[in-house]
Amino acid sequence: MKLAFSTNAYTRMPLAAALAGIKAAGFEGVEILADVPHAYPDALDEAAIAGIARELDRLQLVVSNVNANCSFGYWKDAPPEPYFEPSLISPEAKHRADRTRLIFKTLDFAKAIGAKNISITSGRCLAGMPPRLAEKQFAESIRPILDRADELDVNVGIECEPGLFLEYAGELREWIDRIKSPRLGANLDIGHSQVLGEDLGEAITILGDRIWNLHVEDIPGRKHYHMIPGEGTLDWDCVRQALVGIGYQRFATVELYTQTADPQTAAEKSWGFLSRKLFG
């Protein structure tokens, strides 16, 4: 298992500065935010992608994941709750098509910078898209994405999130078994599992070798707020035991989008705690 840190804590600064800070904090891996201000797909051209690849090589950073969970860059006049829109189950066909286009570009970007996986979400069941219809729409929307991922040899991890169509580790496992694509897996956020009341060890075990990347953060009880590891109530011993049990050798990526005011301190504290707790 290896440690990485997400650039979504560094959204008050350019991507190059974020990469340098993450490397300085001690991490060998980085998750790149596929959104503004770092790597929004529609804002990337060949020169920008080549520059990111060179900087990763210079810093000797490995990409743990390309995070395409949200697309704030899509909106010029954002709706009241834009976080997961446009999504693959948006009631509007245009929004679904635009999300697919952005994911395709993210897959191309991931391939160009040597990332083995990207993460996306299922989206929320908005008005006009009840769960019954969302199930049918998600099955239809995900297939061309997985076909493209297979062509590029890049995996797609679904991140379960409280309130979304796909919330729980168990239901994501059912979809993985149902779709039967070797590219479909999980970007498992273990803090989300705690918020949802899941058994942490069971969530890790259920998804097993389909966990392409693990998001880690601490959580205060069952409130959905990402805290610096060691400052909340997450059972890290349970997490470590479960990861050892499945032989997990990919990245544990710290996701602290709540720490934009001082991301460097958050990264350094995270490295200090996790290097002891998960590897000590």
Side-chain angles (χ1 to χ4, degrees):
M1 184 169 48
K2 299 159 282 189
L3 289 177
F5 197 88
S6 179
T7 69
N8 67 4
Y10 287 83
T11 52
R12 298 189 187 184
M13 59 186 68
L15 178 57
L19 297 178
I22 289 166
K23 179 68 175 182
F27 291 91
E28 63 178 294
V30 59
E31 175 183 83
I32 295 180
L33 178 65
D35 203 349
V36 292
H38 291 160
Y40 180 60
D42 278 350
L44 292 176
D45 56 21
E46 289 185 8
I49 294 171
I52 293 170
R54 284 195 301 271
E55 193 65 9
L56 289 167
D57 184 63
R58 185 184 72 82
L59 293 170
Q60 292 295 286
L61 278 172
V62 178
V63 181
S64 67
N65 183 52
V66 178
N67 186 332
N69 292 353
C70 299
S71 289
F72 285 96
Y74 177 81
W75 299 102
K76 303 301 181 287
D77 184 16
E81 211 285 53
Y83 292 97
F84 300 103
E85 289 295 319
S87 83
L88 296 176
I89 59 169
S90 296
E92 297 292 334
K94 180 183 185 303
H95 288 170
R96 296 195 299 270
D98 283 343
R99 170 55 88 179
T100 297
R101 176 180 57 78
L102 290 170
I103 292 172
F104 275 24
K105 284 190 171 184
T106 301
L107 286 166
D108 292 340
F109 172 62
K111 181 67 174 180
I113 62 172
K116 295 182 178 180
N117 43 271
I118 71 167
S119 64
I120 62 174
T121 69
S122 62
R124 195 183 303 278
C125 291
L126 300 179
M129 188 58 70
R132 178 181 55 82
L133 292 180
E135 179 179 1
K136 179 180 178 181
Q137 186 58 63
F138 182 75
E140 178 182 316
S141 294
I142 196 66
R143 291 189 183 280
I145 291 167
L146 295 173
D147 288 343
R148 179 62 176 158
D150 203 37
E151 292 173 5
L152 294 171
D153 193 24
V154 176
N155 292 326
V156 177
I158 302 293
E159 181 165 333
C160 293
E161 178 107 17
L164 298 191
F165 170 60
L166 292 183
E167 291 184 274
Y168 298 98
E171 61 183 345
L172 176 54
R173 181 77 241 187
E174 290 174 0
W175 274 94
I176 291 170
D177 295 341
R178 170 181 171 180
I179 296 294
K180 299 188 187 318
S181 167
R183 295 296 167 194
L184 183 61
N187 187 79
L188 176 61
D189 190 310
I190 201 63
H192 293 171
S193 291
Q194 174 160 313
V195 172
L196 290 163
E198 295 183 299
D199 180 282
L200 303 186
E202 184 177 338
I204 291 169
T205 302
I206 285 173
L207 292 167
D209 63 358
R210 289 301 185 99
I211 303 174
W212 305 142
N213 180 53
L214 184 77
H215 269 176
V216 295
E217 70 277 337
D218 225 323
I219 295 289
R222 289 183 60 185
K223 294 297 183 182
H224 189 193
Y225 189 84
H226 289 213
M227 300 177 70
I228 295 170
E231 296 185 0
T233 64
L234 198 80
D235 187 344
W236 292 100
D237 291 332
C238 174
V239 170
R240 178 181 178 175
Q241 183 178 359
L243 292 172
V244 170
I246 66 169
Y248 188 72
Q249 296 182 359
R250 299 187 177 103
F251 277 99
T253 300
V254 184
E255 191 195 28
L256 292 176
Y257 56 83
T258 54
Q259 301 295 320
T260 57
D262 188 3
Q264 196 59 34
T265 296
E268 291 168 2
K269 286 184 176 180
S270 297
W271 168 257
F273 177 83
L274 292 174
S275 60
R276 295 190 307 272
K277 201 66 178 177
L278 295 184
F279 300 103

